[in-house]
Amino acid sequence: MPDRDLNITKFSFFAYRKLKKTLGEFDAVVECNEIAIKEFVEQAPKENLQKYIQQLSTKHKVKVDEVNFLKFSSRIRQFYVASVSQQSEQFLKDYRIEWQKYFPEKTWIEPTKGETKLQNTLKNISISLSNDLIEVYEYYRLVRNYMSHTDRNLEELKICLKKIQNNQNDFLSELNLASSPNSVDDINFSDFLILTNVVKHIAYQISTESKPKNERIAEILFDKSKENNKATYKGLMKLKNDKERFEKALRSYITTNFGRFCSQDLNCISKKLESLLA
């Protein structure tokens, strides 16, 4: 049965939906860029390569003195990885802000020395993920740091990659990924595919597994309805005398803000929200 037909709850934080949208747009850019790279490399002559580059340089008025095809392709793919890693870090930052808003009674413990944002997030929300999955995520974070800093630690990358190569990495097949991470000098398009899928998967797990209680979701939505000059609140209140339309509007409001809910959860949130609007 298709997943969309299942009567299940898939609560999602706004931070997750923002990440998914941003990565979706970036994925399309990267895929188009890959086509351009492969076409460029394919069209380039094996002999007189530099002359060919100079001709294109003159044609497009972009100054290029010299290019190494291997470094050219690898460096661009490294930027793919760095960008996805950066977006994942932004997700963790956005998620923390949102989580603290939804769970005001809880205290977010700051990271200890050497603890990454992902490790700190998982600790605070008491969620465990596969160590193999986390190590791949952290490897690409190190790749990003390696590219960004002058005090590069290549040995740390080598150690991390060696650990990954010795792991089972069952999650790769679960995410329909055919290859494993490459060394930093051999980063290619497959590394981008690995990371963007790993980031989406981790963000999804964090988002769905830290769902607030139904009553709290109703309270959050009630408070939210009063934002922006109470436009949503007023819109819902106008429908109170039409039971069918009012209930439909409440359910739409709930799912638009927080994703899919099973019938039981949706009914519970809807009833609580209705009582708050009374």
Side-chain angles (χ1 to χ4, degrees):
M1 180 182 294
D3 183 62
R4 63 178 178 274
D5 294 333
L6 297 177
N7 185 28
I8 57 178
T9 292
K10 284 191 175 182
F11 176 90
S12 61
F13 279 67
F14 175 76
Y16 170 71
R17 297 196 299 278
K18 175 185 171 184
L19 172 74
K20 193 174 179 182
K21 180 178 183 295
T22 304
L23 283 182
E25 293 170 349
F26 185 65
D27 288 356
V29 171
V30 168
E31 288 157 1
C32 187
N33 199 53
E34 272 299 297
I35 293 173
I37 291 172
K38 291 179 179 178
E39 185 68 15
F40 171 61
V41 173
E42 186 178 302
Q43 294 297 324
K46 294 181 180 179
E47 298 179 359
N48 298 319
L49 177 59
Q50 293 308 321
K51 181 180 179 181
Y52 175 70
I53 297 296
Q54 289 304 311
Q55 289 173 342
L56 291 178
S57 174
T58 301
K59 177 182 178 181
H60 297 288
K61 298 180 181 179
V62 178
K63 183 174 173 56
V64 180
D65 294 324
E66 190 175 343
V67 64
N68 179 310
F69 264 17
L70 292 178
K71 289 184 178 179
F72 158 76
S73 299
S74 178
R75 182 55 61 89
I76 290 176
R77 275 88 179 234
Q78 287 174 358
F79 283 126
Y80 296 165
V81 167
S83 181
V84 174
S85 181
Q86 179 60 43
Q87 290 177 65
S88 71
E89 295 278 300
Q90 184 62 48
F91 159 74
L92 293 174
K93 181 180 178 181
D94 293 341
Y95 170 81
R96 172 177 172 170
I97 294 171
E98 197 174 353
W99 184 92
Q100 289 176 301
K101 186 188 298 183
Y102 298 163
F103 299 95
E105 75 282 4
K106 297 182 180 180
T107 300
W108 188 282
I109 301 171
E110 296 296 330
T112 57
K113 185 178 180 180
E115 188 175 56
T116 67
K117 280 189 176 68
L118 176 60
Q119 292 167 342
N120 180 249
T121 300
L122 296 176
K123 180 180 73 177
N124 272 284
I125 63 179
S126 301
I127 288 177
S128 61
L129 297 174
S130 158
N131 286 332
D132 293 2
L133 180 72
I134 293 173
E135 284 177 1
V136 167
Y137 176 93
E138 295 295 352
Y139 170 69
Y140 287 116
R141 182 185 63 81
L142 292 175
V143 169
R144 188 197 74 189
N145 291 348
Y146 178 81
M147 292 178 59
S148 304
H149 302 148
T150 53
D151 54 338
R152 299 179 171 183
N153 188 344
L154 185 58
E155 193 59 33
E156 186 179 13
L157 276 170
K158 290 180 178 178
I159 293 172
C160 188
L161 183 60
K162 187 66 176 178
K163 286 177 65 178
I164 290 171
Q165 291 169 342
N166 291 329
N167 289 339
Q168 293 292 327
N169 296 318
D170 293 333
F171 72 90
L172 290 172
S173 58
E174 292 172 6
L175 296 179
N176 298 313
L177 298 168
S179 58
S180 299
N182 293 297
S183 64
V184 65
D185 291 328
D186 296 319
I187 295 289
N188 60 35
F189 182 60
S190 69
D191 290 279
F192 162 75
L193 292 177
I194 292 171
L195 183 57
T196 191
N197 279 282
V198 163
V199 165
K200 291 172 189 173
H201 179 71
I202 289 176
Y204 172 79
Q205 293 297 118
I206 288 174
S207 182
T208 57
E209 293 187 32
S210 55
K211 167 186 169 292
K213 292 182 178 178
N214 290 333
E215 291 77 11
R216 177 59 185 145
I217 292 174
E219 292 170 354
I220 294 167
L221 289 170
F222 176 68
D223 292 339
K224 188 177 178 65
S225 72
K226 293 189 174 183
E227 296 173 358
N228 300 320
N229 298 318
K230 299 185 178 181
T232 302
Y233 176 81
K234 292 175 182 176
L236 290 171
M237 294 301 288
K238 285 181 180 179
L239 301 173
K240 282 205 70 176
N241 293 328
D242 187 329
K243 183 175 176 60
E244 185 176 343
R245 289 182 65 198
F246 183 55
E247 290 181 351
K248 185 177 180 180
L250 287 179
R251 290 168 181 264
S252 176
Y253 178 50
I254 293 165
T255 55
T256 297
N257 280 275
F258 289 125
R260 188 198 310 178
F261 293 90
C262 68
S263 299
Q264 183 177 354
D265 285 341
L266 190 57
N267 288 336
C268 179
I269 298 167
S270 182
K271 287 180 180 179
K272 177 63 177 180
L273 182 55
E274 184 176 355
S275 70
L276 292 172
L277 290 166

